[in-house]
């Protein structure tokens, strides 16, 4: 790894993304969906950071906000490179352009992210032209190389999207992200739509590419078994906030937040020797339009007390545990891993 | 499976079932010679990748196949309260089939939003089932509907009963679907990927409910899934399907601990397992599932199989390696030698 470059490639400070809800005759903003509600997060160069949580917790919005595909409403997105630190939120479109190629995204559904009317080469050609990849022959060669990098034959670049299977389409999605030689890739549920046997192929491919090209991944998923295998660090989100973040082994070994404990215990494990007691949470995730007061998890938490209902806990290290294990829970010191079944 | 065991508690037995789809003068053998039995109070998990025929098997039992599909061969025998019934011989829209469907055999689908009618209240749709299959008075039906919703863990059931599906969350809709399915105390519950669209914490709630129903009513459950984790947690018996055939079947212990078929073994090796940490090895299965209209000859898994040899150009028969454990592979001795 390059020594001069700062350790953190990306730093989020108090990032908020609120989607407006419009109503009334004049379509005025009457309320907002607090999809991402104050996230502080640093991403280290070369790591795989897992972002997990249930649907509606804001993990995809967070990923899109980093790339400015979703308009964040407050906070900072600091990207560091050899040119120093830049807050991506403050840049104009033109200023942002050189950073676009450093940050890329892979989407969940490879079916809807490819235009069915174009061959793969036609669809990719605009991007390659825009970033100055030379004449048509050169661009074809570049795309051919990319296809080989994702284990597909070169001549497939003239095929249409419907000619590919789900796993192949996802690999095209990866090739698209790689086309501009990025440093950080946000992988938004890249394997969730794939069958188990194909899932492993794509995971292996992502792993190899990371080593070959020194990539950093933000890996968004709801599948904790995959994160444990794939990620260096894991951040758990609940209702727009990060409730716990630590190294992968830490999250699964000494789970601190009651929500993470419940989440992990709810996963069916394909191992007959590991039948653990499920912690079944009552009810559903509350609406992000009006999240509960204090700790957003308190209505479903077994350990909630008055302070949980009134004050929002800070994401901080807790004594007795490594200082890079951050957790947002008022009662973590007294409870520890007690709730972990 | 184990025909010598007591036949009394077998709820449904499927024997040599072949269901084919006809399309553009081509024939897709979606289900090709499938046999299994489900006993009361037991869960059979059918696992496999998309397109392997697991849902078509379920639809065959329910007689809910699309018009292009036909049961070509085999038998589906359902032991109804009134005696054994050959489902495959019944008219799919006839009175006998309609009496069983939704009554003694109930089904839960993957997407609860598509299976609930948005213009009727949830209560009305559950009551409709009871109206058709029982002789209860309408007041009793309403009480029972509210009771069922309450049992499924839906808060304020007396208020929720008059709400429309869009007012329910995803998990609650699926629970309403289960309430509907369970309202008539079915002998067989077919659940086709019931929790795939749901979050894990909600999935845990649904599984608790299903386990309770199994324990209380002795319902036989056929659970279709692609998640080996779900199999390990819920199954009593497992059937692994690949390209329309059951390639391996047996108790959950047999199949997960000593897989005999290369496909089962490869499938288990290709998924990360929680608790095994960062250093676990996962091995992808090479290639992808073949086009069902352009199948390989012989064993369907041979082109992707590490054990494949000359023999594999012919489809192997089902072979019993123990009383309950069966496998369709020439080389199963190499895959897992006898102890």
């Amino acid at each position: 790894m390059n020594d001069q470059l700062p350790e953190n490639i990306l730093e989020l400070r108090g990032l908020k993304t609120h989607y407006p809800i419009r109503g009334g005759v004049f379509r005025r903003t009457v309320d907002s969906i607090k999809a991402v509600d104050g996230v502080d997060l640093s991403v280290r160069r070369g790591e795989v950071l897992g972002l997990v949580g249930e649907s509606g917790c804001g993990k995809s919005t967070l990923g899109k906000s980093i790339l400015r595909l979703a308009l964040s409403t407050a906070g900072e997105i600091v990207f560091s490179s050899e040119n120093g630190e830049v807050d991506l939120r403050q840049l104009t479109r033109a200023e942002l352009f050189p950073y676009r190629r450093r940050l890329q995204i892979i989407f969940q559904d490879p079916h809807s992210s490819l235009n069915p009317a174009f061959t793969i080469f036609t669809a990719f050609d605009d991007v390659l032209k825009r970033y100055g990849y030379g004449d048509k022959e050169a661009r074809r060669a570049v795309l051919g190389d990319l296809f080989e990098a994702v284990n597909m034959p070169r001549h497939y670049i003239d095929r249409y999207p419907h000619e590919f299977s789900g796993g192949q389409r996802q690999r095209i999605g990866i090739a698209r992200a790689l086309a501009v030689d990025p440093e950080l890739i946000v992988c938004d549920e890249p394997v969730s739509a794939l069958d188990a046997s194909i899932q492993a192929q794509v995971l292996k491919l992502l792993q190899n590419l990371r080593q070959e090209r020194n990539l950093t991944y933000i890996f968004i998923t709801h599948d904790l078994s995959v994160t444990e295998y794939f990620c260096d660090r894991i951040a758990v989100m609940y209702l727009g906030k990060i409730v716990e973040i630590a190294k992968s082994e830490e999250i699964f070994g000494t789970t601190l937040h009651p929500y993470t404990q419940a989440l992990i215990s709810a996963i069916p494990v394909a191992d007959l020797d590991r039948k653990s007691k499920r912690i079944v949470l009552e009810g559903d995730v509350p609406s992000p339009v009006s999240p509960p007061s204090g700790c957003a998890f308190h209505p479903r938490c077994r350990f909630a007390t008055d302070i949980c209902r009134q004050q929002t806990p800070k994401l901080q290290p807790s004594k007795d545990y490594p200082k890079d294990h951050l957790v947002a829970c008022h009662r973590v010191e007294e409870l520890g891993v007690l709730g972990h079944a | 499976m184990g025909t010598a065991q007591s036949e009394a508690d077998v709820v449904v037995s499927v024997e040599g079932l072949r269901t084919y789809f006809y399309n553009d003068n081509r024939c897709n053998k979606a289900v090709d010679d499938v046999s299994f039995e489900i006993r009361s109070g037991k869960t059979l998990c059918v696992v496999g990748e998309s397109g392997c025929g697991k849902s078509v098997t379920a639809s065959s039992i329910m007689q809910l196949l699309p018009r292009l599909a036909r049961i070509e061969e085999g038998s589906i025998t359902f032991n109804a309260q009134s005696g054994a019934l050959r489902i495959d011989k019944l008219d799919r829209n006839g009175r006998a089939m309609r009496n069983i469907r939704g009554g003694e055999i109930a089904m839960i689908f993957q997407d609860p939003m598509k299976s609930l009618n948005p213009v009727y209240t949830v209560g009305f749709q559950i009551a409709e089932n009871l109206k058709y299959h029982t002789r209860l008075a309408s007041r009793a039906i309403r009480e029972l509907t509210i009771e069922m919703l309450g049992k499924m863990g839906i808060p304020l059931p007396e208020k929720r009963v008059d709400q429309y599906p869009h007012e329910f969350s995803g998990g609650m809709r699926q629970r309403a679907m289960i309430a509907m399915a369970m309202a008539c105390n079915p002998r067989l519950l077919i659940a086709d990927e019931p929790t795939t669209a749901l979050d894990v914490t909600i999935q845990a709630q649904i599984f608790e409910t299903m386990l309770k129903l199994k324990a209380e009513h002795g319902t036989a459950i056929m659970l279709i899934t692609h998640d080996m984790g779900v199999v390990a947690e819920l199954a009593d018996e497992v059937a692994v399907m690949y390209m329309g055939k059951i390639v391996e079947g047996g108790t959950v212990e047999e199949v997960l601990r000593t897989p005999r078929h290369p496909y089962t073994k490869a499938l288990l090796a290709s998924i990360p397992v929680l608790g095994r940490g960062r250093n676990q090895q996962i091995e992808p299965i090479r290639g992808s599932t073949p086009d069902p209209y352009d199948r390989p000859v012989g064993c369907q898994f041979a082109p992707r199989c590490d054990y494949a040899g000359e023999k594999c150009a012919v489809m192997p028969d089902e072979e019993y390696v123990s009383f309950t454990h069966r496998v369709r592979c020439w080389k199963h001795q190499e895959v897992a030698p006898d102890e």
Side-chain angles (χ1 to χ4, degrees):
Chain A
M1 222 66 18
N2 201 327
D3 290 335
Q4 302 100 333
L5 289 173
E7 190 201 1
N8 290 339
I9 185 166
L10 188 78
E11 220 162 297
L12 307 179
R13 295 183 194 134
L15 188 71
K16 289 187 182 179
T17 304
H18 292 183
Y19 293 115
I21 302 173
R22 294 179 197 281
V25 190
F26 300 107
R27 314 302 298 159
R28 265 188 305 219
T29 304
V30 290
D31 210 336
S32 61
I33 300 167
K34 294 152 191 83
V36 175
D37 200 19
V39 164
D40 297 289
L41 181 69
S42 48
V43 185
R44 296 174 193 152
R45 201 172 292 276
E47 77 169 346
V48 182
L49 176 72
L51 207 54
V52 295
E54 296 178 280
S55 40
C57 75
K59 54 191 193 303
S60 286
T61 303
L62 181 60
K64 286 182 187 160
S65 303
I66 293 170
L67 281 104
R68 285 206 12 191
L69 293 175
L71 212 57
S72 43
T73 40
E76 291 170 40
I77 307 166
V78 180
F79 181 79
S80 24
S81 61
E82 63 281 0
N83 309 332
E85 293 191 347
V86 175
D87 182 1
L88 298 179
R89 281 198 68 225
Q90 305 299 331
L91 302 179
T92 63
R93 279 179 70 109
E95 286 169 335
L96 187 65
F97 181 70
Y99 290 97
R100 286 267 190 230
R101 68 183 304 171
R102 294 165 180 265
L103 298 154
Q104 281 294 319
I105 186 165
I106 301 168
F107 293 103
Q108 170 175 6
D109 185 3
H111 300 256
S112 55
S113 48
L114 292 169
N115 189 333
F118 293 145
T119 65
I120 303 299
F121 176 69
T122 336
F124 277 40
D125 203 26
D126 276 344
V127 183
L128 298 174
K129 262 188 219 158
R130 184 85 169 86
Y131 285 93
Y133 274 91
D135 62 7
K136 193 172 175 191
E137 274 317 300
R139 295 197 303 268
R140 287 185 68 84
V142 168
L143 192 55
D145 290 344
L146 281 170
F147 264 52
E148 277 181 358
V150 296
N151 305 331
M152 295 221 285
R154 291 189 91 89
H155 64 270
Y156 278 20
I157 63 170
D158 291 318
R159 293 195 173 185
Y160 286 91
H162 74 263
E163 296 177 75
F164 295 101
S165 69
Q168 284 173 324
R169 277 184 230 207
Q170 195 53 282
R171 277 183 277 173
I172 295 171
I174 296 170
R176 188 200 52 79
L178 291 176
V180 292
D181 213 5
E183 289 166 36
L184 176 88
I185 300 183
V186 176
C187 310
D188 190 358
E189 307 251 13
V191 295
S192 307
L194 306 175
D195 273 323
S197 67
I198 309 298
Q199 199 169 359
Q201 290 176 1
V202 173
L203 284 177
K204 283 259 169 186
L205 173 68
L206 285 169
Q207 250 171 356
N208 294 341
L209 291 170
R210 183 171 76 96
Q211 273 157 11
E212 284 164 22
R213 296 167 185 245
N214 284 332
L215 297 169
T216 307
Y217 291 147
I218 296 177
F219 194 85
I220 300 171
T221 183
H222 65 269
D223 187 342
L224 279 144
S225 321
V226 172
T227 46
E228 189 200 23
Y229 163 74
F230 196 71
C231 303
D232 301 304
R233 286 195 308 149
I234 294 171
V236 182
M237 280 187 82
Y238 188 77
L239 272 186
K241 288 193 172 72
I242 290 178
V243 296
E244 185 164 5
I245 178 166
K247 286 205 193 83
S248 179
E249 313 85 85
E250 283 278 322
I251 284 271
F252 291 99
T254 48
T255 320
L256 291 180
H257 199 282
Y259 174 65
T260 321
Q261 288 165 356
L263 195 63
I264 292 176
S265 82
I267 303 162
V269 182
D271 188 341
L272 291 174
D273 301 317
R274 260 183 60 99
K275 287 223 165 129
S276 59
K277 179 100 187 75
R278 265 196 290 265
I279 305 169
V280 176
L281 291 179
E282 298 284 315
D284 294 304
V285 182
S287 156
V289 176
S290 49
S293 64
C295 171
F297 184 58
H298 84 253
R300 300 172 82 195
C301 183
R302 298 183 290 164
F303 307 110
T305 56
D306 283 339
I307 188 169
C308 305
R309 286 175 203 111
Q310 288 147 11
Q311 282 176 31
T312 310
K314 279 199 197 74
L315 186 65
Q316 57 195 14
S318 101
K319 67 168 200 279
D320 308 333
Y321 297 100
K323 68 176 193 307
D324 58 351
H325 190 155
L326 309 182
V327 58
C329 177
H330 288 299
R331 303 197 60 200
V332 65
E333 315 241 299
E334 35 178 326
L335 293 170
V337 293
L338 185 115
H340 195 36
Chain B
M1 232 176 287
T3 37
Q5 283 177 34
S6 80
E7 299 282 330
D9 51 352
V10 172
V11 174
V12 69
S13 97
V14 174
E15 209 60 61
L17 179 72
R18 290 176 200 271
T19 306
Y20 295 172
F21 281 70
Y22 295 93
N23 207 349
D24 290 345
N25 285 326
R26 296 186 298 180
C27 168
N28 176 7
K29 300 177 179 179
V31 173
D32 197 10
D33 194 9
V34 160
S35 311
F36 60 86
E37 280 174 358
I38 311 176
R39 287 159 208 285
S40 71
K42 295 284 179 203
T43 305
L44 170 76
C45 274
V46 182
V47 270
E49 295 176 272
S50 33
C52 72
K54 50 194 196 304
S55 292
V56 178
T57 310
S59 310
S60 303
I61 297 175
M62 284 297 269
Q63 284 265 39
L64 286 175
L65 292 166
R67 282 182 191 285
L68 292 168
R70 199 158 66 201
I71 297 176
E72 289 289 329
E73 251 185 77
S75 66
I76 303 168
T77 314
F78 177 66
N79 289 320
Q81 231 113 46
S82 50
L85 263 177
R86 279 286 294 277
I87 288 184
D88 54 307
K89 297 273 190 230
L90 297 177
D91 176 11
R92 65 170 79 172
N93 293 322
R95 176 169 287 277
M97 194 60 227
R98 281 183 294 151
N99 274 336
I100 305 174
R101 193 190 289 134
E104 288 193 75
I105 310 181
M107 187 156 174
I108 311 169
F109 298 91
Q110 179 172 346
D111 187 346
M113 199 61 217
K114 279 189 201 144
S115 27
L116 287 170
N117 190 331
V119 301
Y120 294 107
T121 62
V122 171
F124 178 87
Q125 296 180 61
I126 299 173
E128 199 180 16
N129 205 19
L130 286 164
K131 217 179 284 172
Y132 194 88
H133 291 287
T134 64
R135 288 171 177 223
L136 294 173
S138 58
R139 184 185 298 255
I141 287 180
R142 188 176 165 84
E143 275 165 17
L144 189 58
T145 306
I146 295 172
E147 190 193 317
M148 286 307 293
L149 284 174
K151 263 195 204 164
M152 293 304 137
I154 289 177
L156 298 174
E158 46 296 310
K159 193 171 145 245
R160 288 287 183 177
V161 69
D162 294 319
Q163 287 188 338
Y164 290 87
H166 75 265
E167 297 172 86
F168 278 45
S169 72
M172 282 204 290
R173 274 180 221 144
Q174 196 58 291
R175 272 174 275 168
M177 282 296 298
I178 300 181
M180 195 187 295
M182 297 308 294
C184 303
N185 282 332
R187 286 166 59 73
L188 173 65
L189 176 69
I190 302 176
D192 189 354
E193 309 243 11
T195 56
T196 309
L198 305 175
D199 283 314
V200 277
T201 56
I202 309 296
Q203 172 172 289
Q205 294 173 356
I206 303 282
F207 285 166
E208 291 289 310
T209 320
M210 282 174 63
L211 285 176
K212 218 163 80 193
L213 292 168
K214 190 173 93 167
E216 279 171 16
H217 300 287
T219 311
I221 300 177
M222 175 177 171
L223 180 67
I224 295 170
T225 180
H226 62 269
D227 186 342
M228 279 293 179
V230 173
V231 176
E233 299 247 334
L234 291 186
D236 297 301
E237 275 161 35
V238 188
V240 183
M241 286 189 78
Y242 188 76
M243 296 301 287
K245 285 194 161 63
I246 293 182
V247 293
E248 182 162 8
T251 64
V252 64
E253 291 275 330
E254 287 167 335
V255 175
L256 260 54
R257 282 196 204 281
T258 52
R260 292 286 191 145
H261 197 281
Y263 176 63
T264 319
K265 201 177 170 184
L267 203 59
L268 287 169
S270 73
I271 48 166
V273 176
L274 196 74
R276 296 202 183 145
R278 288 223 64 192
N279 298 324
Q280 58 181 306
Q281 289 295 320
I282 62 167
E283 274 309 317
I285 306 178
R286 66 188 138 92
S288 51
T289 42
D291 178 359
Y293 293 108
D294 182 22
R295 287 164 183 266
V297 277
C299 174
Q300 304 287 298
F301 188 61
R304 307 174 73 189
C305 179
D306 292 332
Y307 297 87
E310 277 172 30
K311 246 186 169 180
C312 303
V314 179
M315 188 71 208
D317 279 334
E318 222 156 55
E319 201 177 314
Y320 279 87
V321 289
S322 80
F323 198 56
T324 46
H325 195 176
R326 57 192 169 139
V327 62
R328 227 180 233 280
C329 177
W330 295 113
K331 309 258 180 162
H332 69 81
Q333 286 289 351
E334 281 174 46
V335 181
D338 288 321
E339 289 91 56

